[in-house]
Each structure stands twice: as structure tokens, then as C-alpha cells.
Amino acid sequence: MSKRRQRKLQTGVLAACVLVLTGACATSTEPTSTGPGLPEPVEVDSPEPSLTRLTQAQYGHAIVDLLGPDIAVPTSLEPDVALNHLIAIGSSSTTISPRGAEKYEEAARSVARQVVENEALRQSLTLCESMREWPACYEKFAVDFGRRVWRRPISTEEADILVGLATQAQEALGESEGAEVVEDDYYRGIEMILSALFQSPHFLYRVELGEPLPDDPTHRRVTGYEMATRLSFFLWNSVPDAALLDAAEAGSLGTSEQRAVHVQRMMDDPKLRRSVRNFFWEWWQLFELDQLTKDPTIYKHYSSDLGDMAAEETLQLVEHVVLDRDVDMVELLTTRTTFVNRRLAAIYNIPAVVEDGFGMTELPADGLRRGFLGHVSFLAQNAHPVSTSATLRGLFVRELLLCESIPPPLSEVNTALPEPTPDAKTMRERLTVHMEDPACAGCHALTDLVGLTLENFDGIGRFRWTENGVTIDASGELDGATYNDALGLQEALGENPKFARCAVNMLYSYALGRPMGVGDTDQYLQLTERFEANGRRFKQLMVDVALSTGFERVGEVSP
Amino acid sequence: MSQNKFHRRMLLKGFLGGALVSIGLPALEIFLNDSGSAYADEGPGDSGFPQRFGLFFWGNGMLPDRWTPEKEGSDWELSEQLAPLANVKEYITVVTGTGLGVPNTTPHAAGAGGILSGAPLLDPYSNDSFSIQSIDQVIAEKTKENTFFPSLEFGAKPGGGLSYNGPNSRNPPESSPLAFFNHVFGGTFQLPGAEPIVDPTLALRRSVLDAVMGDISWLKTKVGQADQIRLEQHFEGVRGLEKRLARLEEDPPNLAACEFPTQPLEAYPDIEGRPQLQEKNQIMSEIAAMAFACDRTRVFSNFFTSPVNNNLFTDAVAGHHQLTHDEPGDQPQVHAINLQCMEALARQIEALAAIEEGEGTLLDNCVLFGTSEHGLAQTHSFEEMPIVLAGSCGGKLKTNMHYRSAASENSSKVLLTICRAMGLDQSSFGAEGGKVTDGLGAIEA
């Protein structure tokens, strides 16, 4: 519980600033018939950069993008850690542990070994025409492939070290004698270079050192290569391709007009899909679902693989609304469309549409289940193993969907809830304790009154009309909007401007690997205004973030 | 897997009907050097064997009213909640009545930081990270030069772990018994008496690691202060690995009690939604104890369960954390779970006591620190912190007693005492409100 509770302060502070500033702010980029046009430059004060470690997903995508699908991607790596709710932010704050360093070494050796044992792959990467030219071939490989792996040019000194390692390996392990040379010996050296490239901090971290703006040395931006990397990790969740690196080398990523060309190309690439999935996986805490535990004696539909299925439903809906249809993202909260396999269909009490895997279906028009708030991924995760939790569900809505900050409970306060009694059979009746005690009421009114509306869904997400024989009172209130059931809450959330603003806040924080700060206020206002003007279409928001001033800026390193 | 470990175990544990009796088998002379131990360094313990530190952590506190023993001093009896420790009572000291000096900013998280590092969290309202090293790493700083691993972290359901090298730098624990076994005893592990490994690729791997360290050092000159600290941690990890590879080319330490522990099962699937906590803990505790006996490390942390964990324990009607808050009255369900945690602690202590070392057992040269992040979890209390110490740490600590702090002393005093017993030259432990400059003399021998 505390894990969820503590991270929102900075964005909460920002949200307060925004309320004050909204009236004074007027950004004026009119949508045009061909699209909304490029965002105008705004004032941004960026913090100093930090090294961002590749997440487990990024490490895997990078290996596949660099070496193809034949490589078995190592999965035993430094664990991801979420901070301010996002793994993207945790990755720019946490370190590589001693155990992690060991795992990265093992992983790099495994990748290197697989490459040189794969005849086709090793030849496609490192063909050397004459065995006499090994050192030159090693150098060419180190410089060319190294540039892809480290996302920047390899210096002469770096190349020398890599070639030295290759030569050492070839000599120590090789079977060549005298003038007689064996091809396998050559690949011993290539294996060493790969092993060194993939465990280097230049691969494991995204390094941003920045440079002064050409026309304004008081501000700094990321370099061309760093921009290529920012774009590719944001839009593809992986390393840049050769075209992006070439653009960086040619200096053609410097302006937002230049970047727009590449951003459009990247938005049209299938790799966009995994990036969008990854963002929602982080934002909506779907990464916690692989640990989903329910008491199977209470919830017959539970099994240990349910969490992963539930996450997949939500991610397929995200792809459908955000990518395939490219409509107002509020539909994620209000749509009757969803994607179920047989197991989830059974929980929703609807017909399974396909025998295997997931199929698209419409939830019943006369039911209360709509959108993400009706998904097992939300309902079961934000509940206890044996019961619902109106507090956890409300807290998720407040903190993750509205980007509000709810302080932790006071210490030395008795937190016991009364057992169900003849007078207090429902969760609502039991939770009145929270409302009566002034030490609790301030925050629990914000969370519980939201969560209680979802009491029609039990701890795993099954629909129910009653609790302990009493009809559930699902009425509630959200920021002034009152309603009687979950449909009303879904509608109120969709109409609440904080939801769209929260999406902007989270995506921007995700893209830059840091929480939004006060120095981003103008940028935040501009992005929000454009997002609302563009019908809250998420793809356009991604483009806007990628082309925003904040996305290209970086603070000065303070040594 | 050798057969004879069963003989020794049966001798120690089996024949005597479960009651824990250790028999001081004489160490084979061939294994010992002139001073009677085979350790390169001479530990400061009275026994001539090195001292080791183990942490045993469980989440969500306990029930102070049923935890605190009635009588104090050496004429004490186990309380209701401590009953599972009956077999090891003579080896333990229970400290009650102490409290945390750090601010109670975030339930659970601030308590974990307070009891294990003696300091407030890095950012008390938005980041669970400790602000300074946890006690296991303070100790590992001193002991790691002599062993293969600087420290080991594991647990049946450990969460993200609470072993910190420094801010935002955690040592992730291993939760799969088999992965833990393979990490400590798989691959390159050599039994005493075996030949060193001869493998030309070891030197090449070290050359690569040199290059990696070179990259890290170069990068360190380019980045800001926070990143420099992160890179230093990374560098230390790589350097440690390089040293481990070098050690493979040396003779393995010749230690009489060192042998392969039992290999765990592939998996321990949940039963009726309940994780197999006791089974996992039992086998991992034995692996950890053998890691000490083989001098693979001198510091481990067993994170049995984590703060705020909502595990379904055997026979419990709800998750642990939910019960600590929702269960009314005197919380019989919570009590039953606390007993299961103490059973797990007993297994860890017994695993150490089951291995003979010199005239006594391995446990005699250890101090095991058992604790949790709260006293009473229902109110997120920092008072009445649960503290169990096991082993005399080579004769430095008293055992078989209950010390009650009448004046609600700072819990960090116990941590300072542990550090000093481990031979650390510490003038203080902790920071800010959690900082102390005096240990707890009453439990020092």
C-alpha cells in the first residue's frame, strides 16, 4: 500500500501550479487541415541529465533489433524498479548492483556466443574477405557495429581497446599455427568484441551530455546522436536504426521541422506498437499483475496466470483505441469494446468469441462494465486477495488516472475496520469508520467515495448486485460530479479534465525519464492545450511530445 | 551430490527427535592450518573462526502484548509469539522495548529504513530508498575482501529487498531456491581439496571487465554528481566480479564443514493460492548456512517476507497486511501468521547450529539479527520493535536472555552493538534521529 502512496508529491505540486496559471496561459497553435502543425517553442528549464539504464524490455528489444530474432534474449538482468510510479523514472535513478553487473556479464557472453555460433548471422555481421586482414576486420567491426550498439561513433581509443581484446582472445584460444589460420579463431575475437560492447556502460545506459544551443549558449540541448536515442527509446522502446543514426551524423535532427520527418516515419513503423503498450503497461501498473494473488477457495476463476491475461486484455484495448482507431483516448474508460479469452469471458459472464487467444467483443449494453475500470487488470489488482478494497481502487483513480497526490495515513492511528455485523454488512457501511474519524476522513473521502462505486465488482472483478445479502449502494461523487453507479463514474472520469492532463504528465515524464518539474510548466500547458484541441488523440500527443521543446532540452551537468 | 551430508545431518538433527543438539565433531586436521583454522585471515572471534552476520527479516511487525516475554534477564521464558524458538532458546537474546528514532513519514517503508539503516528515507514522502547503507552492507564493507561473494540476499517472498549499498542502490534478493543454489554453489564452485580451475577464458573475461571498468571510469568524468555515485556502485560490482574470477584460479578454502547443500526443487508452486513459504525458507536457509561454512560469504540477508506484504499464509483467511489492519480484537489470525514467521526464523537459526565448526557450531561464530519494520503494524508503530539476536558472534554477545529497555532506547543501539561484535571500529550507527553513539552494553559479553 505504501508503495503506491508516496510518489506523487512533485506532480501534485505541479498540478496546483497549473490551476493558478491556466488562465494566464494562451498558446495559439491553431489546428490546420493537414494536422495540428508543429508545437511552437516554449520556455523550458530542464534539470541536469541522468544516466538511464535500459529496462529489461529495452534490453530485449535492443538485442532483437540489433541481431535479429534468432538470438535467445537473456532475461536474468537487473530488475526494473518503478519510481514516481514509472519504471522509466526508476531507471534513471537506481544503480546497477553487484549481482546485476554479474548478470549483465553473463548476458553479454551469452549473446556473443550465440552470434558466433550462428553461421548466417556471424557472416552477415562480420565478413572478412582475407584472413590476413584480421586486425583491420576487427577494427571495422568494432567501429561499425559498435556505433549501432553504443548509439554513437566509437573513438579511436575505444576501437583500439576492442581490437586488442579480440586479438588477445584469438591468440589465447586460437588453434592457428604459423601462417595457417582458422576461421573459427577469427570469430573468437568477434565474440570478445561483442561481449565487451554489450556489458559496457555505453550500451547499458543512455548517456546524455548535451551541447549548447547554437543560437543561445545559455540553454542546452541533447546532441544529434542523443536525440536519435531519445526518439527511438520513446517511440520504439529500443535502440535507433541505421537511418536515425545517419540522420544524427548528418546533423539533421537539430530542429523540430527536421525531426518531424523522422517522427512521422517512426510513428508508421510497427515498432510503435510495443512502445505504446509499454507506456500503458508502466502508467497503469500492469507490471504488477504477474504477482496477482487471489484466494482460489474464494475466487474460483483465479489461477496464477490470470494476471498476465488481464494485462493483455488492457493492452489490446489500448492498441485498438489508441493505434487502430486513433480516437479520443477517453474511450479507454468508456467503451463497451474489449478483448477477452475464454477465461476472462467466464469472469465477465459473456460468451467467449474465440477458441484460443483473445478476440474482440462488446460488453452487454445493459451492464455496468465499461473500459479499463471494468477490466480484471484494474479491479483485481486494486483489491485484496480475499476481498475488494474501495480504498485501493479509489487511490489508483486519484493517483494514476488523475495524477493527484494522496498523503500516507498518519502513524499511530488505529486502522482496524469493524467486521461485518448485522448493522454493517457492506463495505460502505464498514468504511464509514474512515469518514467519522477526522484523522482519516480528509483523504479517505477522496479515495473511498470513488472506490465504493465499483463495489458492484468483487475482488477479482466479477459482477454482483449484493454484498452479504444487501443491495450495494454504488452512489458516489468525483470532484463535484455525482452519480449512482459505475457508468456514472466512468463518464465523470472521462469528462474530468484532469484525466487528459494526467495522460500528458505521465507521457512526458515517461519520455524524459524524470517527473515533470516546475521548469516544464509552459511545456505542460502547451501540450495539454493541444491534446484537448486535437480531440485527445494519443498518437498526436506522442508526436507533440517528440517535437516539443522540452524533449530536445537538457540541463547543464554540475560536476 | 555427496551422500555423507545425510550422515552428518542425521547425527546432528535426526537421532535426537528434532531437539537441536550439536555434537562437536573434531575438525579433520588435514583441513586446518597451523592455527587450527583454514582461513587466510585471522578472525577476531575468540574461536579463531571468522565472524559472520545474518539478517532475518519478516514483514508487518508482530503483536507486542503477546511478543514480550514476562521475565527479564537470563532467567527468562519464551513468550507466546516466541514459542517456535524453543529449540534454540539457549542461543538467542530477545531485546524488547526499543523504538525507532527516525520520523514515521511513510508507513512500513520508513520503518524498514529505520530498523535496518538507522536513518530516515532518502525522500521520506516519495521514495522508499534508504538514504544510507543498510547494516548488512556496512558489515560487508569489512568482510567482503576475504570471501567470494561480498554478501548474499535471498528470501521466500522477499519483494524488492532491503539491502542497500547506498541511495537508490539495492541488492535484489533471489527468490527462487534453485537459482539461489546455482548462484552460490553452481557452476564454478569447488569443494575443499579440489584443484583450482584452469580455464584460459577466465583471463579473457577479466580483460573485458577491465575494459568495462575503463568505460565506467571515463564516463564518471563526464556526468553529474548523482551519476558519479551510481557509476561508482556499478564499478564496485564489476571490480568484485573480476576479483571473483581471479579467485577461481586459487585453491578453494579448505574448510572441514564445507559440502554441497541439498539441491532445491525446480519450483515451489503455490498450493491453494498459498506460497510454500516454509519449504522455500528451509532450503534457502540451509544453502545460506553452507555459504558461511564454505566461506563463500560472511554476510547474508534472508528477507523471508517484505514490508506491507499481503501474502496468504497457510490457514489464514486473508492477506497478512490486510489482516494487520482489518482484523478486530486481539487479532488471532495475525498472531498465527506471526508464529509462522517465527518458525521460519527458527529454521534459519537451526540451519546455522546444525553445522559444526571447531569445538562448537557455525552459529557460535555468527550473529543473526531477526527483525521487522514495525512493532504493532495495525497502528504502524515504531515503538516496541521486534528484535531477536541468535549466536554469540564468537563470544562477543550474550545469549539466552531477555533484555527489556525500560527507557525506550533507540533501536539503533542494537545495530551498533552488532557492528562492534563483528569487529567493526564504529563510533556511531545511523543518521539524524536514528543515530546512536552507544551500543547496548547489557547484551554485550
Side-chain angles (χ1 to χ4, degrees), chain A residues 6 51 94-95 200 412 415-416, chain B residues 125-126 128 169 230 325 378:
Chain A
Q6 6 176 326
L51 299 169
T94 53
T95 62
S200 168
E412 308 292 342
T415 54
Chain B
Y125 292 99
S126 66
D128 287 357
S169 178
R230 295 169 70 203
H325 291 303
Q378 186 176 48

Side-chain angles (χ1 to χ4, degrees), chain A residues 64-90:
Chain A
V64 171
D65 290 353
L66 290 165
L67 296 167
D70 287 349
I71 304 287
V73 173
T75 53
S76 181
L77 305 169
E78 183 78 40
D80 294 330
V81 176
L83 201 58
N84 298 81
H85 302 299
L86 294 177
I87 291 169
I89 296 177

